[in-house]
Amino acid sequence: MTESMTNEAIREAWMVLAREVRTGVLLTMRNGKPFGSHVPYVLGENWTRAYVHLSRLALHTQHLLQDPQVSLFLSESDSPEKNPLALRRMNLQGTAAILGTDMPAYAGVKERYLARFPKSAMMFGFADFSLWELQLQDAHLVLGFGQAYQATAASPETWTHQQPERK
């Protein structure tokens, strides 16, 4: 049986993963089925908020306008020397809403987004692009074999070690 990590160690692990992995897979609902798109993102103060800059012309944005359910999946890069089943990864689930330019958080989020993705500055001038706030309720974090953890937005710093079900 694998030992459980402390909440502080888990926080550091997911923060490192989020810093290293600049893009994730945004999963939206298309006709009742999951649809994945590769997107750049920035996280809020913790994992309960993430921000993406999306074009209204993109399919994933059209999906969000119809159904705000969303998941953001982050994974470390694979390589031949790694075991793909042991890659560090995080699945975040919640809902999405446009972050209006008149909202108090907008300027700070835009600044953080541009600091991480300076080449996207031009897109902020396009009328069809908007910042979206992902309001995330559930997190599932895998740090390797036997190191799977879950947390909820109600207590985002408390991670529960996922134990295999016994029969």
Side-chain angles (χ1 to χ4, degrees):
M1 184 170 153
T2 306
E3 291 264 335
S4 183
M5 295 171 63
T6 65
N7 284 315
E8 294 78 22
I10 295 167
R11 176 182 169 77
E12 180 60 29
W14 72 252
M15 288 177 69
V16 167
L17 178 65
R19 270 193 307 270
E20 290 174 358
V21 178
R22 296 177 350 121
T23 61
V25 176
L26 181 72
L27 293 145
T28 57
M29 298 302 290
R30 180 181 188 185
N31 301 322
K33 296 178 182 164
F35 178 90
S37 304
H38 205 231
V39 296
Y41 71 92
V42 294
L43 287 182
E45 284 183 35
N46 58 42
W47 62 262
T48 64
R49 293 290 184 267
Y51 300 92
V52 291
H53 194 228
L54 306 176
S55 169
R56 191 174 199 54
L57 303 175
L59 279 177
H60 49 251
T61 306
Q62 294 172 33
H63 302 159
L64 289 174
L65 291 169
Q66 293 176 6
D67 184 342
Q69 293 182 89
V70 69
S71 181
L72 181 64
F73 180 76
L74 315 176
S75 179
E76 75 173 293
S77 297
D78 188 18
S79 62
E81 69 277 359
K82 293 180 182 178
N83 180 340
L85 299 177
L87 294 176
R88 294 172 300 142
R89 55 201 181 271
M90 189 170 187
N91 190 355
L92 305 166
Q93 297 176 318
T95 56
I98 293 175
L99 185 67
T101 56
D102 60 338
M103 298 182 94
Y106 183 88
V109 170
K110 178 181 176 183
E111 183 179 317
R112 289 183 58 234
Y113 192 93
L114 289 173
R116 189 164 186 180
F117 304 105
K119 292 182 180 178
S120 67
M122 180 176 58
M123 270 73 90
F124 276 89
F126 295 166
D128 65 303
F129 272 81
S130 298
L131 270 174
W132 284 74
E133 179 179 65
L134 309 184
Q135 301 155 359
L136 304 160
Q137 298 300 314
D138 298 293
H140 182 253
L141 176 67
V142 177
L143 299 173
F145 288 116
Q147 293 295 315
Y149 300 91
Q150 296 173 315
T152 65
S155 187
E157 298 298 328
T158 302
W159 292 88
T160 304
H161 190 224
Q162 180 183 326
Q163 298 291 332
E165 291 183 21
R166 304 256 187 239
K167 293 189 179 192

